[in-house]
Amino acid sequence: METESELRKIEEEIASCNKCPLKKTATRPVPGEGNCHAEIMFIGEAPGYWEDQRGIPFCGAAGKLLDELLLSINLKREDVFVANILKHRPPENRDPLPNEVEACKEYLDRQLKAIRPKVIVALGRFAMAKFFPYGKISRDHGIARLVDYGGQRYIFVPMFHPAAALRSSEVEKQLRRDFLNLTQGVERFKNSDQQEKSESDQKEKIINEQLELI
Ligand code: URA
């Protein structure tokens, strides 16, 4: 319940946010939505036309492709949480400006803290830059790695933005492939995390046994 109420609170704050000028030109806020207890969080760039009209992230053409990609790995929107770097639409879908990203940062950071997903999938370069500033989407897409962000460790996978896949069939092919590899990449880290934990549990057990002998 705590997660839900924190998310509602964040939504309310976004709806009345004046930290940057975007609210003035936007129709509705698009805070993000999905499963509050999701293991995977998908993060895009900013609302587009349809998202701005409806207040729902990824509900236009790029969102249709996202749904299809999720389905290809047996996931539905209800299984994941989907949000954006910016919570209000930039005019004419222009790129987010640094001051807008900075002003909006707190909301996504708080959503991450509330939901605590294990996996973050960044869709496109703006979302990637938040967690992996020196990454390059053409080089690093589809590669899972561990990142520390805001005192939390995540399995992080950057991917091409679905809108880029709609413009290029080569990008689309790579995005589809990256989705199919997502589970495998994530499992590898989950297993290594588990192995690290059982090794450290084992070490602790040995130390405790030795202390009992003293
Ligand atoms: N593109 C994004 O990055 N986010 C959306 O919500 C829609 C399109």
Side-chain angles (χ1 to χ4, degrees):
M1 198 56 206
E2 237 172 67
T3 304
E4 279 94 331
S5 61
E6 170 64 357
L7 291 177
R8 293 292 86 77
K9 191 162 174 279
I10 298 167
E11 280 180 17
E12 282 164 20
E13 289 177 37
I14 291 169
S16 60
C17 179
N18 283 308
K19 289 201 272 180
C20 84
L22 288 181
K23 181 173 168 272
K24 291 195 191 90
T25 48
T27 315
R28 286 169 193 257
V30 186
E33 67 172 35
N35 188 329
C36 306
H37 306 288
E39 259 210 351
I40 309 185
M41 187 153 163
F42 287 83
I43 302 175
E45 182 179 311
Y49 175 82
W50 287 109
E51 291 76 23
D52 177 67
Q53 292 292 307
R54 299 180 59 195
I56 297 170
F58 282 94
C59 64
K64 234 173 134 192
L65 178 56
L66 178 62
D67 287 342
E68 206 190 294
L69 292 162
L70 288 171
L71 213 60
S72 75
I73 52 170
N74 295 320
L75 288 175
K76 293 192 291 291
R77 278 289 177 109
E78 307 87 270
D79 300 319
V80 301
F81 197 91
V82 180
N84 282 305
I85 295 288
L86 296 188
K87 310 301 192 186
H88 285 97
R89 182 191 185 208
E92 310 301 325
N93 295 351
R94 63 155 169 73
D95 285 350
L97 298 174
N99 67 309
E100 294 160 356
V101 173
E102 185 53 35
C104 222
K105 178 177 178 288
E106 174 205 333
Y107 300 123
L108 184 54
D109 288 354
R110 283 169 59 197
Q111 287 174 320
L112 281 166
K113 276 223 165 78
I115 299 165
R116 298 172 67 89
K118 285 198 170 65
V119 183
I120 293 173
V121 177
L123 299 170
R125 64 193 167 99
F126 281 94
M128 178 174 74
K130 180 177 176 75
F131 304 96
F132 187 34
Y134 299 107
K136 214 168 163 236
I137 203 88
S138 55
R139 180 192 62 201
D140 300 312
H141 67 91
I143 302 169
R145 65 187 74 233
L146 294 175
V147 299
D148 292 316
Y149 183 86
Q152 194 67 36
R153 179 160 286 190
Y154 300 98
I155 300 170
F156 174 72
V157 191
M159 291 202 192
F160 283 113
H161 194 288
L166 292 175
R167 293 190 294 266
S168 152
S169 57
E170 185 48 39
V171 170
E172 183 188 342
K173 224 186 283 171
Q174 301 204 24
L175 181 59
R176 286 187 187 277
R177 202 179 308 141
D178 290 345
F179 258 79
L180 293 177
N181 291 333
L182 180 62
T183 327
Q184 215 181 345
V186 164
E187 282 309 317
R188 203 158 44 84
F189 278 107
K190 276 194 186 159
N191 292 340
S192 71
D193 256 13
Q194 251 156 20
Q195 192 173 336
E196 238 173 61
K197 189 175 180 311
S198 73
E199 276 170 11
S200 84
D201 285 352
Q202 188 66 21
K203 272 188 204 146
E204 199 178 302
K205 191 166 162 256
I206 292 168
I207 291 169
N208 285 339
E209 280 168 4
Q210 286 171 344
L211 285 175
E212 274 170 27
L213 289 176
I214 295 171

